Amino acid sequence: MGMGAAKSCIAAGLTTYGVDLNPAACQALRDAGAEAAGPATDGFAGELDGVLLLVVNAAQCRAVLFGENGLAAKLRPGTGVMVSATISAADSRDIAKGLAERGLLMLDAPVSGGAVKAAAGQMTVMASGGKDAFEKLKPVLDAVAGKVYTIGEEIGLGATVKIIHQLLAGVHIAAGAEAMALAARAGIPLDTMYEVVTNAAGNSWMFENRMKHVVDGDYTPHSAVDIFVKDLRLVTETALSLGFPLPLASTAYTMFANASNAGFGREDDAAVIKTFAGITLPEKKEK
Amino acid sequence: MGMGAAKSCIAAGLTTYGVDLNPAACQALRDAGAEAAGPATDGFAGELDGVLLLVVNAAQCRAVLFGENGLAAKLRPGTGVMVSATISAADSRDIAKGLAERGLLMLDAPVSGGAVKAAAGQMTVMASGGKDAFEKLKPVLDAVAGKVYTIGEEIGLGATVKIIHQLLAGVHIAAGAEAMALAARAGIPLDTMYEVVTNAAGNSWMFENRMKHVVDGDYTPHSAVDIFVKDLRLVTETALSLGFPLPLASTAYTMFANASNAGFGREDDAAVIKTFAGITLPEKKEK
């Protein structure tokens, strides 16, 4: 998604710098017209008006911003930092505090849409933060987002909306797996079950997308089981911090954690169905 | 749905009789062109080639077919009976046995689509049964269905597909309620949360349809909590009969049963959200 977002910035006419540990990705971005791209921000951090941080988790956010040779200390005061990892509201607030101490403006701005939407400059952004942060990062938002939801001014609200979205996404995958597993047990052909559900009120975006992998017996990881172990853990931690019960999401977390422990962590998240014993699932057809 | 299906039969040119305990419904069907309509089948049962049974549960199916002045004893041998209630596979097989003893052909044929699709002759039918039953009931299927899924020959498969569909529908409503309840607790405006989810991969048909009722604070029962208490009970019984675990659907059943016991049984099924304590939900706007 970082590559797609960076290319969208270039396409929008913004002077764009790329940072990635992978040299091939940096070369590709230079070829696409980036001013510079490399493994570190030395040499151009002081030139930046805005930073878009697209990493996996809060630890990576902190390493980039506040770790050894960290970016935050090198940015000019007033620079906008758009933090777009899926992280907890508490982490989001903590990172904002670290940035504020250096005079930097943060947008709590998780994204969705995957690599395809990112490449098209059409990511969905769910953002919270001060008006000054929104203004400072407007050129970046205009370049990378198809839709920006302004959740509020308080840092942490953007993170929470993304986490609640992931609650639904995770429960829907697990529910799809549970339904298809029961169908297999009952002797229903899974392609028929899939066709009925995807044409009826029991459908979900995740059922339609992920249960196709089960029907095809293809667990190539478009998004892995371990991503939902992480995200449903964030969901659970969020509920714990609010003293709130989550009967379904807690159960879904258990199902994904069990799938990971069973050795399916790096398979497609639809592989959560493999933890149901006593059924025979479709196998991948040889081409 | 019975009224819509009956009118679709009339529109298709079939000689149509209606049976309903409600005199107004019978009058409406006579006005629409039915040959006859009343509270009982006396006088025309022997004329029928096919019967479409659209009732709420297995007890009603048995009462109509095998109860006092029951229909089954009055039908000619070889008549097709399309059983379209949402019932268990075991009930479906038991009813088929009773019909077979009288030389009658059964189609295990639950439907979905609601009153709107029924009125348009566009119900979705998930059917299992012998070829003779499908052939005998083809004029009725052609008249009432937009789509017929042929699940197999074995009675009970149609019922099971419908029940697994209801598993997903029920879990998706409960998950939607859980997500919106957490959003309320976290201080996220629910209309914003609704808009984000319905435009992203966390969406489901049920989230989009039912959580709008929560956003509007309107629990007018389009489909009531008690319907999902019944349907998730069937889901649970199906899994028990197959010795299969259902971590999410069992939890969703608990949530709907609790909502019913709390006094919300006849409210819209979105009212399952009202069992989450410690939150403030939107109230209905006065017009």
Side-chain angles (χ1 to χ4, degrees):
Chain A
M1 290 182 81
M3 177 65 78
K7 286 183 176 173
S8 298
C9 288
I10 294 167
L14 303 178
T15 305
T16 304
Y17 301 84
V19 180
D20 199 297
L21 296 176
N22 175 1
C26 293
Q27 182 62 50
L29 195 63
R30 282 193 300 269
D31 292 347
E35 196 76 6
T41 57
D42 302 301
F44 60 80
E47 309 293 319
L48 302 176
D49 295 307
V51 173
L52 169 53
L53 193 55
L54 267 169
V55 293
V56 168
N57 56 30
Q60 289 188 5
C61 289
R62 287 200 177 86
V64 168
L65 293 170
F66 310 120
E68 193 184 344
N69 194 23
L71 177 58
K74 294 186 267 178
L75 295 170
R76 289 175 297 174
T79 300
V81 180
M82 178 170 158
V83 177
S84 296
T86 298
I87 61 178
S88 74
D91 279 328
S92 185
R93 285 189 293 265
D94 185 62
I95 291 167
K97 189 161 163 275
L99 291 173
E101 285 167 3
R102 291 160 178 85
L104 302 167
L105 305 171
M106 170 164 154
L107 212 53
D108 168 20
V111 295
S112 78
V116 174
K117 292 269 187 161
Q122 293 291 322
M123 294 195 301
T124 297
V125 181
M126 34 213 111
S128 69
K131 281 180 188 165
D132 46 357
F134 273 103
E135 267 170 36
K136 191 76 187 180
L137 287 160
K138 187 171 185 301
V140 177
L141 288 168
D142 288 346
V144 305
K147 177 81 190 171
V148 178
Y149 294 101
T150 306
I151 315 298
E153 296 204 7
E154 193 187 317
I155 292 288
L157 292 176
T160 303
V161 166
K162 176 69 192 282
I163 285 169
I164 294 175
H165 176 272
Q166 294 307 95
L167 180 165
L168 288 161
V171 169
H172 291 169
I173 295 169
E178 180 171 308
M180 292 294 260
L182 181 60
R185 180 72 162 195
I188 311 291
L190 293 197
D191 51 354
T192 304
M193 194 71 230
Y194 178 83
E195 203 195 339
V196 170
V197 170
T198 52
N199 285 285
N203 199 23
S204 71
W205 195 100
M206 281 295 179
F207 184 95
E208 185 157 348
N209 188 272
R210 300 306 212 276
M211 291 308 113
K212 185 73 170 65
H213 304 164
V214 171
V215 171
D216 293 342
D218 184 354
Y219 297 89
T220 308
H222 298 283
S223 176
V225 162
D226 279 346
I227 297 287
F228 270 101
V229 175
K230 171 181 88 70
D231 283 4
L232 286 169
R233 185 189 177 105
L234 281 174
V235 170
T236 305
E237 287 172 354
T238 299
L240 287 171
S241 75
L242 293 165
F244 204 71
L246 294 183
L248 291 168
S250 303
T251 303
Y253 170 75
T254 301
M255 293 165 73
F256 280 102
N258 194 36
S260 182
N261 291 339
F264 307 126
R266 296 189 173 196
E267 294 191 24
D268 190 80
D269 50 34
V272 69
I273 197 173
K274 294 185 180 180
T275 59
F276 286 94
I279 56 173
T280 305
L281 292 169
E283 289 186 16
K284 191 172 176 180
K285 288 191 181 69
E286 296 300 328
K287 303 239 170 170
Chain B
M1 290 182 80
M3 178 63 80
K7 286 184 178 173
S8 299
C9 289
I10 294 168
L14 304 179
T15 306
T16 303
Y17 302 84
V19 180
D20 200 297
L21 296 176
N22 175 0
C26 293
Q27 182 63 50
L29 195 62
R30 282 194 299 270
D31 292 346
E35 197 75 6
T41 58
D42 302 302
F44 61 79
E47 309 293 318
L48 303 176
D49 295 308
V51 173
L52 169 52
L53 193 54
L54 266 169
V55 293
V56 168
N57 55 30
Q60 289 188 5
C61 289
R62 287 199 177 88
V64 168
L65 294 170
F66 310 121
E68 194 184 343
N69 195 24
L71 177 58
K74 295 187 265 178
L75 296 170
R76 288 176 297 174
T79 301
V81 180
M82 179 168 157
V83 177
S84 295
T86 298
I87 61 177
S88 74
D91 280 328
S92 185
R93 284 190 294 264
D94 185 59
I95 291 167
K97 189 160 164 275
L99 292 172
E101 285 167 4
R102 291 159 179 86
L104 301 167
L105 305 170
M106 170 165 155
L107 213 52
D108 168 21
V111 296
S112 78
V116 175
K117 292 268 186 160
Q122 294 290 324
M123 295 195 301
T124 297
V125 180
M126 33 213 112
S128 68
K131 281 180 188 164
D132 46 358
F134 274 103
E135 267 170 37
K136 191 76 186 178
L137 288 160
K138 185 170 186 301
V140 178
L141 289 169
D142 288 347
V144 304
K147 176 84 191 170
V148 178
Y149 294 100
T150 307
I151 315 297
E153 296 203 7
E154 194 188 318
I155 294 288
L157 292 177
T160 304
V161 166
K162 176 68 192 283
I163 286 169
I164 295 174
H165 176 271
Q166 294 308 95
L167 179 165
L168 288 161
V171 170
H172 291 169
I173 295 169
E178 180 171 308
M180 292 294 260
L182 180 61
R185 179 74 163 196
I188 310 292
L190 293 197
D191 52 353
T192 304
M193 194 70 230
Y194 178 82
E195 202 194 339
V196 170
V197 170
T198 52
N199 285 285
N203 199 22
S204 71
W205 194 100
M206 281 295 179
F207 184 94
E208 186 157 346
N209 189 272
R210 299 308 211 275
M211 291 308 113
K212 184 73 170 65
H213 305 164
V214 171
V215 171
D216 293 342
D218 184 354
Y219 298 90
T220 307
H222 297 284
S223 177
V225 162
D226 279 345
I227 297 287
F228 270 102
V229 175
K230 171 181 89 71
D231 283 3
L232 286 168
R233 185 188 176 106
L234 281 174
V235 169
T236 305
E237 287 172 354
T238 298
L240 286 171
S241 75
L242 293 165
F244 204 71
L246 294 183
L248 291 168
S250 304
T251 303
Y253 170 75
T254 301
M255 293 164 75
F256 280 103
N258 193 38
S260 182
N261 291 340
F264 308 125
R266 297 189 172 197
E267 294 191 23
D268 190 80
D269 50 33
V272 69
I273 196 172
K274 295 185 180 180
T275 58
F276 286 94
I279 56 173
T280 305
L281 292 170
E283 289 186 17
K284 191 173 177 180
K285 287 191 183 69
E286 297 299 329
K287 303 240 167 166

